[in-house]
Amino acid sequence: MRSYILAKINAEQFVKDGKKNVRIAKAKRKNSYVILLEDEKPTKNFDVLETLN
């Protein structure tokens, strides 16, 4: 849960900096989160959880 909260805080900062379509994705088999910016596509090992604009 802690890594999700950190990813969410970082994603919100990207939105404040003017990025559009910021998404948080979670790895299917691990408790890892990544931030996808604008036109980046998640690989098949990640599921998009949330989109921030």
Side-chain angles (χ1 to χ4, degrees), residues 2 4 26 33 38 41:
R2 180 177 177 204
Y4 174 75
K26 182 184 184 304
Y33 296 88
E38 298 177 352
K41 305 284 185 212

Side-chain angles (χ1 to χ4, degrees), residues 9-26:
I9 290 169
N10 289 336
E12 288 172 349
Q13 186 61 46
F14 278 117
V15 171
K16 287 179 185 175
D17 291 341
K19 298 288 185 185
K20 300 287 183 194
N21 197 24
V22 177
R23 293 168 289 160
I24 301 172
K26 182 184 184 304

Side-chain angles (χ1 to χ4, degrees), residues 2-52:
R2 180 177 177 204
S3 58
Y4 174 75
I5 293 170
L6 292 174
K8 175 116 176 149
I9 290 169
N10 289 336
E12 288 172 349
Q13 186 61 46
F14 278 117
V15 171
K16 287 179 185 175
D17 291 341
K19 298 288 185 185
K20 300 287 183 194
N21 197 24
V22 177
R23 293 168 289 160
I24 301 172
K26 182 184 184 304
K28 290 183 180 178
R29 295 186 182 172
K30 294 183 180 180
N31 193 22
S32 299
Y33 296 88
V34 296
I35 298 172
L36 304 170
L37 301 175
E38 298 177 352
D39 293 334
E40 293 179 337
K41 305 284 185 212
T43 63
K44 63 181 180 178
N45 296 327
F46 286 89
D47 291 324
V48 175
L49 297 177
E50 184 175 354
T51 302
L52 306 171

